[in-house]
């Protein structure tokens, strides 16, 4: 082996765990745990306010105006007014109302304090009146932004790395109980951020601590107020049969179908977003009218409640599974079409997260296909959720966990099927996604 040239030194790789051994890291853990309490309490209040707005605008307000029930046409003016408010918020308040959901869940860091009011207002106006989006993206942004703002008030000279850790911990706390498990929320955030290796452990530890504290706060507040924890739950799940050859075949079919459906939804949403941004206020109000009209069409055609087309679908998953026998195949297909189009319109201009509507669309598709031979209801339900989630989010590990942990004990039985469906959907989705333009070749540096 040739000798090293004179004047050079050989150094080993830097210790990736060095930050963990410092007193400053211990201080960050303490700060993460302390901030987890108020951030999770604010997140709980946000979810409670969204739930109250949904009940007020869709149920209480029609009764106050003299209607015996909610008219099937009610969502049309309601969503139009909401679109007007969201458009004004996006147009005039700092931050543009926050993350644009058509672009998927992306890691952009904690927003500035000046952007938080616009994020909260746009999300409340979107989620509270029926846009087909979930609360996870606004909660991630609000949790991270509030944590960084509070940490900056306590310690003015907070280093950029510390701000990143504190912001991530705040996001962990905000979504700690939303997906049914603090661990599942942690997987979602870490997969979105693309962290791996030793860096994963450095960031994950304070995040998990905040998530654990946040889950305790959610549980305590839910018990104290009687409102529950707003966690993703199903209730009773039909027993799942052991996977057979036919169901593995259905896993391939569901994976491919979900990939094409997800690509279509995403491309249509991005195309609509490009057009909406030319006239934000008017176009967002128009998209609200479209969503309301889709709910009206579904209600009048199927005889079901139009609210199934609206909202995130998080609280409808259990009802869908337990009452699946009450839905004809035609009604399920119509629900898939109307919900998917409402999802596209919501992604293009409203503010919220893309996770729960993707789960709902996939679940309905799985239930519809379970009417065919060789596919059990629970297996189709789980595979549809996993395949559609990965098609829309491109987060394979999170998609598998969402589809299986949700089912409790039965999730272990169908997990092999879900893994096959998710992997197939993930690979096909990447093949359907246009490759990014190659970067220009950098010119060689002059020595």
């Amino acid at each position: 082996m040739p000798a090293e040239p004179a004047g050079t030194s050989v150094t080993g790789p830097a210790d990736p765990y060095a930050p963990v051994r410092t007193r400053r890291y211990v201080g960050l853990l303490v700060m993460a745990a302390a901030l987890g309490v108020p951030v999770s309490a604010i997140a709980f209040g946000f979810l409670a306010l969204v739930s109250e707005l949904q009940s007020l605008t869709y149920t209480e307000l029609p009764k106050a105006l003299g209607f015996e029930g909610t008219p099937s046409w009610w969502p049309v003016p309601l969503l139009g007014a909401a679109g007007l408010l969201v458009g004004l918020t996006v147009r005039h308040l700092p931050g543009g109302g926050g993350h644009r959901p058509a672009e998927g869940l992306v890691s952009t860091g904690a927003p500035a304090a000046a952007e938080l009011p616009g994020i909260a207002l746009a999300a409340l106006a979107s989620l509270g009146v029926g846009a087909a989006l979930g609360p996870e993206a606004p909660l991630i942004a609000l949790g991270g932004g509030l944590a960084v703002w509070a940490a900056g008030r306590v310690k003015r000279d907070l280093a950029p790395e510390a701000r990143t850790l504190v912001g991530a911990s705040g996001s962990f706390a905000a979504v700690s109980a939303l997906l049914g498990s603090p661990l599942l929320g942690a997987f979602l955030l870490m997969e979105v951020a693309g962290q791996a290796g030793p860096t994963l452990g450095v960031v994950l530890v304070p995040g998990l601590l905040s998530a654990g504290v946040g889950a305790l706060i959610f549980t305590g507040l839910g018990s104290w107020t009687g409102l529950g924890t707003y966690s993703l739950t199903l209730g009773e799940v039909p027993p799942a049969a052991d996977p057979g050859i036919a169901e593995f075949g259905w896993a391939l079919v569901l994976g491919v179908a979900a990939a094409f459906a997800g690509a279509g939804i995403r491309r249509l949403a991005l195309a609509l977003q490009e057009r909406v941004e030319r006239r934000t206020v008017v176009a967002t109000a128009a998209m609200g009218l479209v969503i309301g009209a889709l709910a009206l069409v579904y209600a009048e055609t199927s005889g079901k409640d139009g609210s199934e087309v609206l909202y995130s679908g998080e609280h409808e998953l259990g009802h869908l599974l337990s009452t699946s026998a009450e839905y004809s195949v035609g009604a399920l297909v119509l629900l898939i079409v109307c919900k998917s189009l409402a999802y596209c319109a919501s992604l293009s201009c409203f503010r919220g997260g893309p996770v729960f509507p993707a789960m709902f669309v996939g679940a309905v598709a799985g239930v519809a296909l379970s009417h065919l031979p060789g596919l059990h209801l629970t297996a189709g339900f789980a595979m549809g959720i996993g395949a559609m989630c990965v098609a829309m989010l491109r987060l394979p590990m999170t998609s598998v966990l969402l589809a299986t942990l949700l089912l409790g004990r039965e999730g272990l039985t169908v997990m092999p099927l879900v893994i096959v469906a998710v992997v197939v959907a993930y690979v096909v989705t990447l093949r359907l996604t246009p490759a990014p333009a190659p970067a220009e070749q950098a010119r060689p540096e002059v020595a």
Side-chain angles (χ1 to χ4, degrees):
M1 182 175 179
E4 293 291 336
T8 62
S9 61
V10 179
T11 58
D15 182 5
Y17 297 105
V20 182
R21 301 187 180 97
T22 63
R23 295 178 60 183
R24 179 173 295 181
Y25 189 80
V26 176
L28 285 174
L29 288 178
V30 174
M31 182 179 293
L35 289 175
V37 175
V39 168
S40 57
I42 292 173
F44 181 91
F46 177 85
L47 292 175
L49 183 56
V50 168
S51 179
E52 186 64 27
L53 283 173
Q54 291 175 351
S55 176
L56 177 65
T57 56
Y58 197 81
T59 305
E60 301 300 329
L61 186 56
K63 289 182 180 179
L65 294 177
F67 296 102
E68 293 184 0
T70 304
S72 57
W73 53 261
W74 182 257
V76 179
L78 186 65
L79 268 296
L84 187 62
L85 178 56
V86 172
L88 290 170
T89 303
V90 171
R91 179 74 178 273
H92 297 291
L93 291 186
H99 159 260
R100 295 183 291 184
E103 298 171 3
L105 281 176
V106 293
S107 178
T108 57
E115 299 175 3
L116 297 181
I119 293 173
L121 180 58
L124 287 172
S126 300
L127 305 177
V129 296
L133 296 170
E136 66 280 358
L139 283 179
I140 290 171
L142 292 172
L146 287 170
V148 170
W149 175 81
R153 305 284 75 76
V154 175
K155 188 175 178 58
R156 298 284 182 179
D157 58 342
L158 201 63
E161 296 82 0
R163 296 175 71 89
T164 300
L165 284 177
V166 169
S169 299
S171 296
F172 274 65
V175 298
S176 57
L178 182 64
L179 300 176
S181 166
L183 188 60
L184 190 50
F187 265 104
L188 173 68
L189 290 172
M190 297 310 299
E191 201 169 11
V192 167
Q195 300 283 2
T199 305
L200 173 63
V202 173
V203 179
L204 184 60
V205 170
L208 282 176
L209 182 59
S210 292
V213 172
L216 290 174
I217 297 299
F218 265 76
T219 302
L221 288 175
S223 176
W224 177 58
T225 61
L227 298 175
T229 60
Y230 301 105
S231 296
L232 178 61
T233 57
L234 285 183
E236 186 175 353
V237 178
D242 292 334
I245 298 299
E247 287 184 316
F248 276 103
W250 278 116
L252 299 176
V253 172
L254 266 167
V256 173
F260 277 92
I265 291 173
R266 187 168 52 253
R267 290 181 183 181
L268 178 56
L270 289 171
L272 289 173
Q273 176 181 275
E274 182 180 353
R275 288 161 175 76
V276 164
E277 289 177 346
R278 298 172 186 170
R279 299 190 65 183
T280 302
V281 178
V282 174
T284 305
M287 286 295 101
L289 294 175
V290 169
I291 298 169
L294 288 167
L296 172 61
V297 169
Y298 173 73
E300 290 295 320
T301 305
S302 67
K304 302 289 185 180
D305 195 333
S307 63
E308 295 179 358
V309 174
L310 309 176
Y311 308 112
S312 67
E314 171 191 358
H315 302 297
E316 296 294 330
L317 285 170
H319 178 264
L320 172 69
L321 186 60
S322 61
T323 63
S324 59
E326 300 177 7
Y327 290 80
S328 65
V329 175
L332 291 170
V333 172
L334 181 62
L335 179 56
I336 293 171
V337 173
C338 292
K339 186 74 172 187
S340 298
L341 292 176
Y343 188 23
C344 285
S346 301
L347 287 170
S348 69
C349 54
F350 284 87
R351 293 298 183 260
V355 175
F356 293 119
M359 294 179 65
F360 186 78
V361 171
V364 177
V367 171
L369 289 175
S370 70
H371 286 77
L372 298 175
L375 181 59
H376 189 270
L377 171 63
T378 303
F381 182 86
M383 287 191 291
I385 289 177
M388 199 65 199
C389 277
V390 79
M392 291 302 300
L393 308 177
R394 305 180 199 180
L395 306 176
M397 180 65 80
T398 300
S399 299
V400 170
L401 292 176
L402 274 171
T404 54
L405 294 183
L406 181 62
L407 299 177
R409 180 183 300 177
E410 306 304 325
L412 297 176
T413 304
V414 301
M415 183 178 286
L417 298 171
V418 172
I419 291 174
V420 172
V422 166
V423 169
V424 171
Y426 182 62
V427 173
V428 177
T429 296
L430 294 183
R431 293 293 300 270
L432 294 174
T433 303
E440 294 184 2
Q441 296 292 330
R443 290 180 298 176
E445 295 180 357
V446 179

